[in-house]
Amino acid sequence: MASRDPLNGKLVTIIGGSGFLGDHVAQALLERGARLCIASRHPERAFKLKPLAQLGQIEFLPCDVTKPDTVAFAVRGADAVVNLVGAFEGDLKATMADGAGTVAQAAAAAGVGALVHVSAIGADAESPSGYAQAKAAGEAEVLAAFPKATILRPSILFGDDDHFIQMFAGLVSTFRVLPVFAPHAPLQPLFVDDAAEAVVVALVDPAVFGGKTFEIAGPETITMLTLHQRIAASQHRKRTFIEMPDSLSALFAALPGTPMNSDQWTMLKQGNVPGGKLPGMKQLGIAPRPLGLFLDRWMTRFRRYGRFNETVTG
């Protein structure tokens, strides 16, 4: 099958490819026979991909989007480029705005045929969130330098190796009483493999999808409170969830060392669902899979007696 795939033998550079989404995008591309360059500040974090590749099918390069020469070197000879760089800390403008522009400029200069830039639902130049502002500025810089780039705005991503569902699962399995921040904020979590497929689809046909922005999300809308309740039910555990007032949540997010900073709180409170004005997964020809398809299986290891637990426990 891979030998007939339009990406077979093509060189795809994944900037910021050593993270969660990068792992899954790389796997999807390797299955199609693409050759990969994983370019990242810490490319060694992606070495676990080596066993999945044929000899010479994948290379790893140090790359920093704030250093244009490293970006230019990483995209040399590439047929396509994917930019996955994102951060909630540090100089957001330098990495997600100016850095995105640097990637697009280098791709254009190298004669790259397709560029996919992964942004985020909620990207908005007028947002009170610095993260959302930086993402919006990045989109603008990308399209200015590479007008036929495809912009993907994913919702919160989930997978069996994520830092979202798995974090809450660990908390639910440990504590009998848990606070829930932004309990009624709507979410449309997207399975990471479906997000990776969206990247691949856009790369395959830039003539159709280039120059467009897509908001990609899962098939169901749930709230943060419902998410916690479903995780507890899948673990067969009785838990008490306390709906936290916004004022206390904002104070918590402002404290140093907490797992959620003020930017993340601002975006969480606003919700994480498509606005409805842009095309989405349907227009990409992808039927996204719901969280419920996986949750019971993934929560087995968090149950008191693993797969042998058939009763509700404390």
Side-chain angles (χ1 to χ4, degrees):
M1 292 294 292
S3 63
R4 301 179 183 179
D5 194 284
L7 292 176
N8 182 60
K10 301 292 186 180
L11 176 59
V12 181
T13 295
I14 307 177
I15 307 289
S18 60
F20 172 52
L21 178 55
D23 285 349
H24 291 262
V25 170
Q27 291 176 54
L29 289 168
L30 289 172
E31 289 174 0
R32 289 173 173 259
R35 295 180 294 123
L36 300 184
C37 172
I38 306 295
S40 166
R41 288 188 303 162
H42 301 285
E44 69 279 0
R45 294 176 181 173
F47 283 177
K48 57 183 174 293
L49 295 169
K50 288 182 177 181
L52 304 179
Q54 301 294 324
L55 184 64
Q57 193 180 5
I58 187 169
E59 66 173 328
F60 305 88
L61 287 178
C63 177
D64 185 335
V65 294
T66 66
K67 299 176 180 178
D69 56 330
T70 69
V71 178
F73 186 75
V75 303
R76 75 201 190 292
D79 297 290
V81 171
V82 179
N83 182 28
L84 302 179
V85 174
F88 277 104
E89 298 178 342
D91 190 337
L92 304 185
K93 181 179 183 298
T95 55
M96 296 192 298
D98 298 339
T102 296
V103 171
Q105 293 163 17
V112 168
L115 170 63
V116 173
H117 174 71
V118 176
S119 182
I121 280 182
D124 182 358
E126 304 301 321
S127 172
S129 162
Y131 177 89
Q133 292 175 21
K135 281 294 190 182
E139 292 181 6
E141 291 203 29
V142 166
L143 292 176
F146 203 112
K148 286 299 183 179
T150 302
I151 307 292
L152 297 180
R153 294 179 175 179
S155 181
I156 292 174
L157 302 179
F158 70 87
D160 61 354
D161 54 341
D162 68 24
H163 299 291
F164 180 66
I165 299 295
Q166 305 304 323
M167 178 186 69
F168 291 126
L171 293 172
V172 168
S173 69
T174 303
F175 301 103
R176 292 179 179 271
V177 180
L178 282 166
V180 179
F181 302 100
H184 302 292
L187 311 173
Q188 270 184 250
L190 176 65
F191 184 38
V192 65
D193 283 350
D194 293 334
E197 183 62 18
V199 172
V200 171
V201 167
L203 290 178
V204 166
D205 205 340
V208 172
F209 301 114
K212 298 178 181 178
T213 299
F214 296 83
E215 290 185 323
I216 56 176
E220 60 179 341
T221 301
I222 60 176
T223 66
M224 282 295 292
L225 179 59
T226 301
L227 175 63
H228 282 69
Q229 292 169 335
R230 288 177 61 177
I231 289 173
S234 293
Q235 292 184 8
H236 299 174
R237 295 183 184 277
K238 293 180 180 179
R239 291 294 183 257
T240 298
F241 297 111
I242 300 175
E243 300 181 23
M244 297 297 290
D246 286 354
S247 56
L248 288 180
S249 299
L251 178 61
F252 173 82
L255 295 174
T258 60
M260 175 177 64
N261 64 29
S262 294
D263 241 15
Q264 290 168 306
W265 157 244
T266 298
M267 297 192 71
L268 176 62
K269 182 175 63 173
Q270 293 174 345
N272 202 258
V273 298
K277 296 181 179 180
L278 294 172
M281 296 293 273
K282 181 179 179 180
Q283 287 73 27
L284 289 165
I286 302 170
R289 287 162 282 187
L291 176 61
L293 191 63
F294 310 95
L295 195 58
D296 280 350
R297 173 161 49 88
W298 291 347
M299 292 302 105
T300 299
R301 67 187 180 92
F302 292 98
R303 296 172 188 165
R304 186 173 182 183
Y305 299 112
R307 64 188 179 89
F308 300 104
N309 182 333
E310 297 298 334
T311 60
V312 176
T313 61

